[in-house]
C-alpha cells in the first residue's frame, strides 16, 4: 500500500547495512563478515533474527585515522 511505501526509508538514508553489504564494503566474503560478527570484530545491532551493522561503526572501521582523532 502507499502508506507502507511511504514508511520505508530509501537505501541511501538508512543508518544501518546488512552483514553481506558491510562485507562487500570491507572487501571480504559474506561468511567472513558473519565470522567477524561472531568474533566481535564487526559491531552489530540485533533486531529479532536480523543483524544490522551501523554505518557509523563501519565508517570508523574503514577510516581508523578519523576514529583516532
Amino acid at each position: 500500500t502507499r502508506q507502507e511505501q511511504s514508511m520505508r526509508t530509501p537505501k541511501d538514508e538508512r543508518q544501518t547495512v546488512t552483514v553481506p553489504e558491510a562485507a562487500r564494503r570491507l572487501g571480504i566474503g559474506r561468511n567472513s563478515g558473519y565470522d567477524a560478527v561472531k568474533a566481535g570484530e564487526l559491531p552489530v545491532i540485533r533486531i529479532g533474527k536480523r543483524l544490522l551493522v551501523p554505518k557509523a561503526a563501519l565508517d570508523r572501521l574503514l577510516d581508523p585515522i578519523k576514529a583516532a582523532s
Side-chain angles (χ1 to χ4, degrees), residues 13-33:
E13 292 182 27
R14 295 184 331 188
Q15 298 299 307
T16 59
V17 294
T18 63
V19 173
E21 289 170 333
R24 275 193 297 277
R25 284 191 60 193
L26 292 168
I28 61 175
R30 175 184 175 273
N31 289 342
S32 293

Side-chain angles (χ1 to χ4, degrees), residues 1-68:
T1 66
R2 282 186 184 206
Q3 183 179 8
E4 288 172 344
Q5 288 174 350
S6 68
M7 291 176 67
R8 292 185 188 145
T9 304
K11 200 172 191 176
D12 294 340
E13 292 182 27
R14 295 184 331 188
Q15 298 299 307
T16 59
V17 294
T18 63
V19 173
E21 289 170 333
R24 275 193 297 277
R25 284 191 60 193
L26 292 168
I28 61 175
R30 175 184 175 273
N31 289 342
S32 293
Y34 283 106
D35 289 343
V37 169
K38 189 174 182 180
E41 298 170 335
L42 185 60
V44 293
I45 299 169
R46 189 178 304 265
I47 299 178
K49 292 184 178 183
R50 291 192 67 187
L51 296 173
L52 299 171
V53 180
K55 280 186 176 181
L58 187 57
D59 290 341
R60 282 192 302 271
L61 283 172
L62 292 169
D63 195 354
I65 296 170
K66 276 188 181 176

